[in-house]
Amino acid sequence: MRSEKIYLSEWLQKDFTDVYGALCVILDRCGAPYGLLPYSKDIWCRDYMPVHIGGGKYVGFKYFPDYMDNEKERKYITEQEKAAEGLSIHFSTILDVVMDGGNYVRCGDKVVMTDKILTENPHLRPLRLLALLEDAFQAQVILIPWDDCEPYGHADGMVAYVGDSRILLNNYRQMGKRSAEFADRLVKILSPYFDIIELKYSDPLKDSWCYINYVETAESIILPALSENLEHGCDCSAREQIQSVFPDKTIHQVYAAPLIKKGGALHCVTWEHCLASVQ
């Protein structure tokens, strides 16, 4: 069993005080250790921190997203090396590849990413890039089409791995004919590798992707919620569906609409540091 500590950015604490406080209350209730990163420039620590490939080993990369490549946003780009300093991270390799941690969804011995990784690295031929990624991650990389309604190209708002070769898929079929066709494409790509659980909500909200962007601890799932009282129809149906997927875990919810309006949710603002392997 892995022993993990969940890290958050100090900017979540400063700029989204209510979300930070509610999340910390739930983490305390779950008995999950957590703390603040020693260095960060924005709240989205999932994106700029290295990715865990198993066994306490991490892969580093170049964090320079195109959606922040402008004068206004560039000052918020966190240098991965500084953010990781002092955390005793075991880097198995550091890739000379541009990517975001939000576009890395570990699924057992596979990794799901959107094909935005190709456009971010035009200096590398696609097959060469895939070979580099698979060697670094020690996993087969499965590329899915980028949901172009989402500007960041992240897979962690599209799919989530729930173990035993099963994945959750966002509720694209509820979003109209074009999105249903997109769902068909995703299922065709992913079904040879995984059993797919397509989520469905009481209302086809544009922001319902947030429910896949949850935090998992040893004993709990912490889901984002769109309503402060946690009783929005989608909040309730998300809670019921996730509970059915994780019958042995406690489901908690945190009002996260302020984050969701900015384009991310709870998975985006957390990063797990694998402390050790515990027998």
Side-chain angles (χ1 to χ4, degrees):
M1 182 177 69
R2 289 184 328 199
S3 176
E4 295 179 335
K5 183 173 182 178
I6 294 173
Y7 278 94
L8 311 163
S9 166
E10 64 180 306
W11 295 104
L12 183 69
Q13 183 185 38
K14 292 175 180 178
D15 295 343
F16 295 87
T17 305
D18 290 344
V19 176
Y20 173 83
L23 180 55
C24 289
V25 166
I26 297 300
L27 289 172
D28 281 330
R29 193 178 299 168
C30 297
Y34 64 92
L36 295 177
L37 290 170
Y39 172 87
S40 63
K41 288 188 176 181
D42 79 4
I43 64 174
W44 313 113
C45 55
R46 178 70 56 181
D47 292 337
Y48 50 76
M49 294 302 287
V51 297
H52 184 229
I53 63 169
K57 297 178 182 178
Y58 288 82
V59 170
F61 51 86
K62 292 170 66 175
Y63 178 67
F64 194 78
D66 55 5
Y67 53 84
M68 297 180 75
D69 189 14
N70 59 70
E71 186 175 352
K72 180 181 178 181
E73 299 292 336
R74 203 173 296 132
K75 63 183 178 181
Y76 298 114
I77 295 177
T78 298
E79 299 165 66
Q80 186 178 95
E81 184 178 359
K82 286 187 178 181
E85 190 174 351
L87 295 180
S88 301
I89 294 173
H90 178 193
F91 283 98
S92 61
T93 189
I94 298 178
L95 287 167
D96 186 21
V97 167
V98 176
M99 64 173 276
D100 297 1
N103 194 23
Y104 174 94
V105 178
R106 188 82 189 192
C107 303
D109 61 354
K110 297 175 179 62
V111 170
V112 174
M113 307 181 80
T114 74
D115 54 13
K116 192 191 178 198
I117 189 72
L118 304 179
T119 62
E120 288 175 311
N121 295 278
H123 59 293
L124 292 169
R125 292 183 178 181
L127 290 179
R128 173 60 178 159
L129 175 57
L130 282 174
L132 287 172
L133 294 173
E134 291 188 338
D135 183 61
F137 300 153
Q138 293 296 287
Q140 180 180 1
V141 173
I142 301 167
L143 293 184
I144 57 176
W146 176 8
D147 176 3
D148 57 12
C149 293
E150 184 271 320
Y152 311 114
H154 292 173
D156 69 350
M158 299 175 67
V159 298
Y161 185 61
V162 297
D164 298 325
S165 297
R166 298 173 301 152
I167 59 170
L168 302 179
L169 179 65
N170 190 28
N171 63 322
Y172 292 109
R173 293 191 195 279
Q174 290 183 286
M175 302 296 183
K177 180 179 178 181
R178 182 171 176 270
S179 292
E181 291 171 350
F182 184 67
D184 288 338
R185 290 178 63 197
L186 293 174
V187 168
K188 184 175 181 179
I189 293 167
L190 294 168
S191 59
Y193 309 101
F194 306 107
D195 293 324
I196 300 170
I197 303 168
E198 294 190 56
L199 297 174
K200 186 175 182 179
Y201 303 113
S202 60
D203 189 11
L205 286 177
K206 181 182 72 173
D207 290 331
S208 55
W209 59 265
C210 70
Y211 299 117
I212 281 191
N213 203 264
Y214 57 76
V215 177
E216 183 174 2
T217 74
E219 298 180 353
S220 304
I221 300 292
I222 309 174
L223 281 177
L226 290 165
S227 56
E228 291 189 68
N229 64 2
L230 313 182
E231 290 303 325
H232 186 288
C234 289
D235 290 344
C236 295
S237 56
R239 186 166 62 238
E240 291 169 1
Q241 288 176 88
I242 298 301
Q243 184 68 81
S244 70
V245 174
F246 294 100
D248 298 327
K249 293 200 175 194
T250 303
I251 308 299
H252 302 277
Q253 284 185 293
V254 169
Y255 174 61
L259 294 180
I260 294 162
K261 289 176 183 177
K262 297 292 184 179
L266 300 182
H267 190 258
C268 297
V269 297
T270 55
W271 176 79
E272 300 87 9
H273 183 197
C274 185
L275 302 175
S277 292
V278 180
Q279 298 299 320

